[in-house]
Amino acid sequence: MASSTDSESQDRPDVSEAVSPSKIDPVILGHRLRYFRAAANMTLDELASQLGATASHLSMIENGKREPKVSLLTHGADILGVGVGDLLQPEAPSARAALEISVEKAQRSRHWEAMGLPALRVSSGTPTPVLEVIDGLTRELRRQSAEQAATPEEARRANVSMRKEQRERNNYYAELEQQAHELLAAVGHDEGPLSYHAIADIADHLNFELRFVSSLPHSTRSVTDLKNRVIFLADSRNPDHDPRSVALQALVSYVLGHGEPVDYKDFLLQRVSTNYVTAALMMPEKSLVKQLRQRKKDRDIAIEDIRDAYSVSYESAAHRFTNLATHHLEIECHFQKVHESGVLHKAYENDGVNFPVDSIGAIEGQAACRYWTCREVFDTSDRFRPFNQYTDTSVGTYWCTAVVEPSQSALFSLSVGIPFDQARWFRGADTAERSRSNCPDPTCCRTPSAELEAQWGGNAWPAARTNAHMLAAMPPGAFPGVDDVAVYEFLAAQEQFSR
């Protein structure tokens, strides 16, 4: 018996081939199967019998505890008189089903497990008000947990943990390199800058449409509509965001199976892995390593050559170099991104450099030594060529190369550093610039000289600039700073406009 949705399914594309079962939420799929079975007036036993399956197996599928084979879905759709696409749609089939799905998912979450509560069997006999109360309580617990987790201290601890893992792996992730390699192979790209056309080919390969709009929600750089398989990108001239990388980040996040982060650490892991694969797509491992090995042989490695060869920012090129330097070239290194005020924003090291840290080991917000290359570069007038300098520190001498890049609101220095004995592989290693840093000794650059103290001590009262994020749980635009209401209203408007 065909359901009343049969005519609708004729107008809706069959996504059985476009969507891999591994990308389908088994809980939603199970509820949709149960919905259409009930609409066809079939019992669990009757459908199982026609499918040649056991009722217990089918029950586990309907409860989202087992994923069905494509052949079973195809046969089941034929029996129920619907399209396979109807079973694979990513939304609940009814408001009641959406409530049941939400409660069932809540019981599988870390929050529920941490509370030690017994499992609640959700059935058709469970009163709707009971489900509404449970759903409301679990949503509020998740909100409070996210609020508590999204604190500056939690963010710093997550960053410390992330940097430790990066150091242990020399910032090289073979599994992520493989993901990038497979995507590039699928569109026939293996070297040179990744063009807009190639990115569109990757989107086609993943069955997504890329669409530029002028009305993205303020808190987002892109919005992915999984239901209609559209990725919306901002139609703007923001110099901070390369449209290629923003589009790739959205596609990569889908490929990696990312969902809503459960806490800041999860958010950070997702962001780092997404950025890693995006960089590996824009600067393919095989071709870049070949170039770097030749440059090392010629003693002429230069970060700006990576930037120019692949049409990326210096920051992206520097990050990518740290991915490959130790694993492929046996070169230890460090990277810093420093605000023009001297505050460290990002850093990585596996060469023993003594970054300034707070009591928990975090570097974010700490002041870089005034005599490091990352600070000295701001005093140079030549912004076309990198500034190179040797710096003697308490843990050894480092050669560093740095440039200054502007953002919308400030200037940042981006520097890559190498221990003295490995500097010979780099262009600019013959620099005569040299400096001395005694940090973390406060007398190095953080304590005024006796002369200045005598002249101005007690006679100055500066008004400190307060960053807005100091009064918030997290800096604007960071997890969990996305406005869900704005995002959902945007998607609803886009869907209505497309009809």
Side-chain angles (χ1 to χ4, degrees), residues 106-117:
Q107 294 186 73
R108 303 180 189 190
S109 70
R110 300 179 189 176
H111 303 289
W112 190 281
E113 181 180 348
M115 290 186 290
L117 296 175

Side-chain angles (χ1 to χ4, degrees), residues 142-143 145-151 219 260-261 263-264 267 473-484:
R142 286 199 299 271
R143 186 195 68 78
S145 177
E147 186 178 80
Q148 293 166 4
T151 63
S219 61
E260 182 180 349
D263 53 27
Y264 188 84
F267 163 78
M474 283 298 297
F479 170 80
V482 173
D483 185 342
D484 286 341

